[in-house]
Amino acid sequence: MMAQTQIQTESTPVLEVRGLTQRFGGLKAVNDFNVKLMPGELSGLIGPNGAGKTTVFNLVSGFYQPTEGEILICGVKTARLKPHKVTALGVARTFQNIRLWNDMTVLDNIKVAQHSQLGYGFFHSVARSKTYMKREAEIEQEAFELLEVFDLKDFASDFPKNLPYGTQRKLEIARALSVHPQLLLLDEPAAGLNSNDAKDLIRLIRWIHDTFDVTIWMIEHHMDVMMELATQIKVIDFGETIADGNPEHIRNHPAVITAYLGDDNI
Amino acid sequence: MKQYSLNMLLVVFAIGLLFAAHFRIIDGYIQIVFMTIGINIMMSTSLNLVNGNMGEFTCGHAAFMCVGAYISSLLSVFCFGTKFGEPLLPAASVVIVFPIIVLIGGAFAAVSSLLVSIPSFKTRDDYLAIISIAVNYMIISAIENMDFVGGSRGFQGMKDTVWAMVDLFDGPWMLFWVINFTVFTVWVIRRFISSTYGQGVNAICQDEVAAEIMSVNTNKIKIINFMVAAGLAGCAGGLYAHIIGYVNPQSFNILKSTEALVMVYLGGMGSLSGAVISAILFTGLLEVLRSQAIVDGLLSPITFMFPDWEPSAGVIKWVMIPLLLVIVMQFRSEGIMGNRELGDVFPKLKKFYRFK
Ligand SMILES: Nc1ncnc2c1ncn2[C@@H]1O[C@H](COP(=O)(O)OP(=O)(O)OP(=O)(O)O)[C@@H](O)[C@H]1O
Ligand SMILES: [Mg+2]
């Protein structure tokens, strides 16, 4: 265990965030946030409603430009990069409110997420060039494989809007993995799921983590999901980091208990 | 077999049409109707890329037709006309040069679409609609103030080019070109939009934020999509100019843009086959409404009550078409085809053709 940690600290972190601050007008949604995720980690980010968790994800995925601080993905600074460039560096995410492309088939949802790796452009697509045919076949095959392992193959030509909620959540994760990410950000993957589905989700996330060689960082209100999966958890409240450590440490941390006082989730 | 059935059907139809035109089985008027159908298919399918597939609301599509029409007309007169002095090119080269001229017109139109696509990075919906109308006016007014292309009096001389073709071989040349460019348009759009690359356009329509975050370079895809749409509209403009032999900035005003809009919404947003079908229906309807007798017949219950009112077909057309749009939006707001293609509506058809 010790030796393994040693090796990991020597390689570049998948994600390094230093002094991240985000202001919305007078509101400091995130203040001086720091984190370092090593390859293969599965960590968590929790906090009461409005704590700034989603804002952190929005900053990391390049959707907002931070007021202060810097973000490094696999050692590359993301300052002023457009979100699709950040994604191309290896960050994929899901959204708190599912954001699938509802009028495109499940298969196309998966395929389009490969846009940064297409390797052909407009003229190839119109000329149906060799490159195009080859890449398109590869993309399609890969998409089918992904659907297969996610047990979604039967829905390939369905529209996401017609799928059950839990399946949509699963599809959104599959779509994120289609990006070939180094870092997968999951924003409340268990939100809206019943306890059975949540159990499946725990298994799914663990399986993804073992199979896809990806670092996972997730936000979750279901404490059982979080305690079961994450090895490291950060707690924020009003944009401030109030605790940081393993699940056991977090569970008994006085500041966390105070922050969540009255919240049934813990 | 299945793979080529549609192509073969098209080729047979096109050859049949050209033969019929060549041997005067169909007269000049019918030919013009067919050419108008082709041009309208080009306009509606190309606008459908922006308003249907990408879900932006632009209403200045005729601006790009205008750019294409003027650029190709100018080139055409320079190369084969006598208006600016001796023709630059030998008349024999016209058959090869003409499509190139049309394509160059399209290329200029594609570049002019940056006037709309760059603002579209930050603006959507109503604001982009206003920008597109503004661009429509800008381009028309700019040309009206250019004296060397005739200003608001219009520009002519392109018939020299058509005659140069007829001198080589006495056939229905413009019909031939319109058929080719129409097929080319549908073919380009179909291939673009069905590729994973082109699916990025649909992703932008359905959730732009998700598209950008899931690795689609939304700005680039927007530029390309606008360029394809405007470029094809530009080609339509070039052909139109050569069919009529005369262009006037006001032929490309907001009314022309509206025609394209009506066709897109009639056909169903995002449906390529819908855009084709509605272009055919719409052109047919326009021709029918040109007949004073039919208009009088249709309106007889009303004119009966107002004996002093004598509606003219040319004007009543602009009551009927918007009315049609109102009715379609009210009772079938998804248009004739919704966002589906012919093969989705009639799955049995898929057995007989494949269209990629
Ligand atoms: N684009 C924005 N503009 C202004 N304020 C914002 C914006 N996005 C978030 N905020 C504010 O920032 C704070 C943090 O929001 P955030 O969505 O990050 O919370 P969260 O921790 O994800 O909460 P939840 O558990 O409800 O999802 C909230 O007060 C929110 O209102
Ligand atoms: Mg949130």
Side-chain angles (χ1 to χ4, degrees):
Chain A
M1 185 64 205
M2 207 51 220
Q4 201 188 350
T5 326
Q6 202 59 45
I7 293 162
Q8 281 181 352
T9 39
E10 273 169 15
S11 56
T12 3
V14 171
L15 171 70
E16 191 170 359
V17 171
R18 299 192 205 117
L20 194 65
T21 299
Q22 177 70 7
R23 280 201 193 84
F24 293 118
L27 176 81
K28 245 187 193 167
V30 177
N31 189 22
D32 193 21
F33 184 83
N34 297 284
V35 76
K36 203 182 225 180
L37 297 180
M38 285 302 166
E41 245 182 270
L42 203 173
S43 320
L45 178 64
I46 62 172
N49 287 107
K53 307 179 292 295
T54 301
T55 306
V56 171
F57 273 22
N58 285 341
L59 287 162
V60 171
S61 56
F63 185 55
Y64 297 146
Q65 293 299 327
T67 318
E68 275 167 48
E70 51 180 20
I71 301 163
L72 290 89
I73 310 285
C74 302
V76 182
K77 282 187 193 159
T78 67
R80 281 186 296 281
L81 285 187
K82 298 254 307 152
H84 74 268
K85 292 266 184 210
V86 176
T87 308
L89 288 176
V91 187
R93 66 174 288 186
T94 62
F95 298 88
Q96 187 167 354
N97 312 307
I98 302 176
R99 300 187 84 147
L100 289 162
W101 299 302
N102 273 320
D103 288 312
M104 281 160 59
T105 62
V106 166
L107 184 66
D108 283 338
N109 267 270
I110 302 281
K111 279 159 77 175
V112 169
Q114 297 224 4
H115 242 247
S116 63
Q117 297 145 42
L118 285 184
Y120 71 83
F122 172 72
F123 289 105
H124 282 285
S125 78
V126 172
R128 295 276 138 116
S129 68
K130 269 214 181 86
T131 324
Y132 170 87
M133 297 307 265
K134 181 164 154 283
R135 282 298 295 137
E136 201 75 356
E138 286 167 1
I139 291 164
E140 177 137 337
Q141 194 195 342
E142 197 179 309
F144 266 118
E145 280 166 10
L146 200 58
L147 288 178
E148 175 100 66
V149 296
F150 270 81
D151 213 7
L152 292 167
K153 207 175 177 182
D154 295 342
F155 305 116
S157 50
D158 290 341
F159 294 112
K161 61 183 175 195
N162 299 331
L163 299 179
Y165 187 79
T167 316
Q168 292 190 20
R169 282 250 172 242
K170 204 156 101 177
L171 174 59
E172 211 190 18
I173 299 176
R175 180 180 72 173
L177 284 170
S178 177
V179 169
H180 299 266
Q182 312 274 327
L183 173 65
L184 177 62
L185 307 174
L186 302 175
D187 196 345
E188 304 203 19
L193 299 187
N194 60 34
S195 60
N196 250 345
D197 285 352
K199 284 211 185 71
D200 285 346
L201 184 83
I202 293 176
R203 240 173 283 136
L204 180 73
I205 294 177
R206 174 153 294 144
W207 171 80
I208 290 169
H209 186 237
D210 294 343
T211 324
F212 284 87
D213 189 26
V214 62
T215 309
I216 298 180
W217 197 22
M218 61 179 208
I219 297 173
E220 191 45 74
H221 271 305
H222 286 60
M223 276 310 138
D224 37 347
V225 176
M226 194 53 112
M227 294 296 166
E228 181 117 352
L229 285 170
T231 48
Q232 285 289 317
I233 297 176
K234 263 188 187 292
V235 190
I236 58 175
D237 191 15
F238 295 114
E240 306 283 346
T241 310
I242 56 171
D244 185 3
N246 62 29
E248 208 48 46
H249 172 75
I250 296 299
R251 202 194 295 272
N252 303 314
H253 199 289
V256 180
I257 295 168
T258 323
Y260 272 92
L261 209 62
D263 198 323
D264 311 334
N265 281 315
I266 202 162
Chain B
M1 180 63 212
K2 183 172 125 181
Q3 206 171 338
Y4 300 111
S5 60
L6 190 72
N7 296 359
M8 270 160 36
L9 199 71
L10 269 175
V11 170
V12 169
F13 174 73
I15 291 178
L17 196 62
L18 288 170
F19 260 92
H22 184 59
F23 295 108
R24 302 281 184 273
I25 301 168
I26 52 177
D27 61 14
Y29 168 69
I30 303 283
Q31 285 184 40
I32 294 269
V33 173
F34 272 108
M35 288 192 272
T36 314
I37 287 179
I39 302 245
N40 280 346
I41 289 177
M42 291 175 77
M43 289 300 284
S44 72
T45 52
S46 59
L47 180 62
N48 191 30
L49 267 183
V50 174
N51 283 36
N53 293 96
M54 199 155 78
E56 296 285 8
F57 189 75
T58 64
C59 23
H61 205 47
F64 308 124
M65 194 182 182
C66 183
V67 173
Y70 267 87
I71 296 288
S72 56
S73 298
L74 271 173
L75 286 173
S76 170
V77 169
F78 269 118
C79 292
F80 303 105
T82 47
K83 191 170 172 157
F84 297 128
E86 281 302 295
L88 289 178
L89 295 175
S93 66
V94 67
V95 178
I96 298 156
V97 175
F98 178 69
I100 299 174
I101 285 176
V102 173
L103 287 173
I104 294 175
F108 272 86
V111 173
S112 71
S113 78
L114 290 173
L115 288 172
V116 184
S117 61
I118 290 175
S120 83
F121 293 173
K122 293 259 153 76
T123 10
R124 291 212 73 150
D125 306 330
D126 322 12
Y127 302 104
L128 193 66
I130 291 167
I131 289 172
S132 67
I133 295 174
V135 167
N136 201 159
Y137 275 102
M138 260 165 63
I139 286 178
I140 291 180
S141 314
I143 291 175
E144 276 184 339
N145 286 298
M146 287 179 193
D147 253 351
F148 67 99
V149 292
S152 56
R153 279 164 288 122
F155 182 75
Q156 55 190 7
M158 295 77 86
K159 277 288 179 198
D160 288 347
T161 309
V162 182
W163 286 323
M165 286 190 264
V166 173
D167 282 345
L168 284 180
F169 172 77
D170 185 16
W173 278 103
M174 284 320 294
L175 186 61
F176 171 77
W177 291 121
V178 169
I179 291 175
N180 278 297
F181 270 96
T182 307
V183 171
F184 172 75
T185 300
V186 175
W187 180 80
V188 165
I189 292 175
R190 172 68 193 183
R191 288 188 158 196
F192 170 55
I193 214 70
S194 66
S195 68
T196 303
Y197 188 68
Q199 281 288 324
V201 174
N202 289 347
I204 290 175
C205 168
Q206 286 161 42
D207 191 332
E208 188 173 339
V209 169
E212 175 74 32
I213 287 187
M214 297 319 291
S215 82
V216 178
N217 187 347
T218 50
N219 288 352
K220 189 174 161 197
I221 295 284
K222 279 181 183 176
I223 287 195
I224 287 181
N225 195 47
F226 268 108
M227 278 191 150
V228 176
L232 293 170
C235 292
L239 292 170
Y240 171 85
H242 285 83
I243 294 171
I244 309 289
Y246 165 76
V247 282
N248 178 318
Q250 285 305 329
S251 343
F252 307 103
N253 64 10
I254 198 84
L255 276 184
K256 192 83 190 168
S257 299
T258 310
E259 275 184 26
L261 271 182
V262 172
M263 287 188 281
V264 168
Y265 289 92
L266 194 66
M269 293 211 281
S271 166
L272 183 56
S273 41
V276 173
I277 292 170
S278 71
I280 297 171
L281 287 181
F282 179 80
T283 317
L285 190 71
L286 275 190
E287 287 309 317
V288 170
L289 289 180
R290 278 165 75 132
S291 144
Q292 187 69 46
I294 292 176
V295 167
D296 285 345
L298 276 175
L299 291 178
S300 56
I302 305 172
T303 41
F304 178 72
M305 286 185 284
F306 304 98
D308 291 341
W309 187 43
E310 282 171 9
S312 96
V315 176
I316 228 63
K317 163 177 116 173
W318 282 109
V319 176
M320 297 290 208
I321 291 162
L323 184 67
L324 177 72
L325 195 59
V326 170
I327 292 171
V328 170
M329 289 297 114
Q330 191 70 59
F331 295 104
R332 194 175 162 84
S333 54
E334 74 272 25
I336 299 173
M337 303 290 288
N339 64 0
R340 297 168 303 174
E341 297 298 340
L342 209 53
D344 306 329
V345 182
F346 303 106
K348 280 192 184 144
L349 275 179
K350 277 193 176 160
K351 282 198 202 120
F352 300 108
Y353 76 89
R354 220 179 67 199
F355 183 41
K356 277 278 173 194

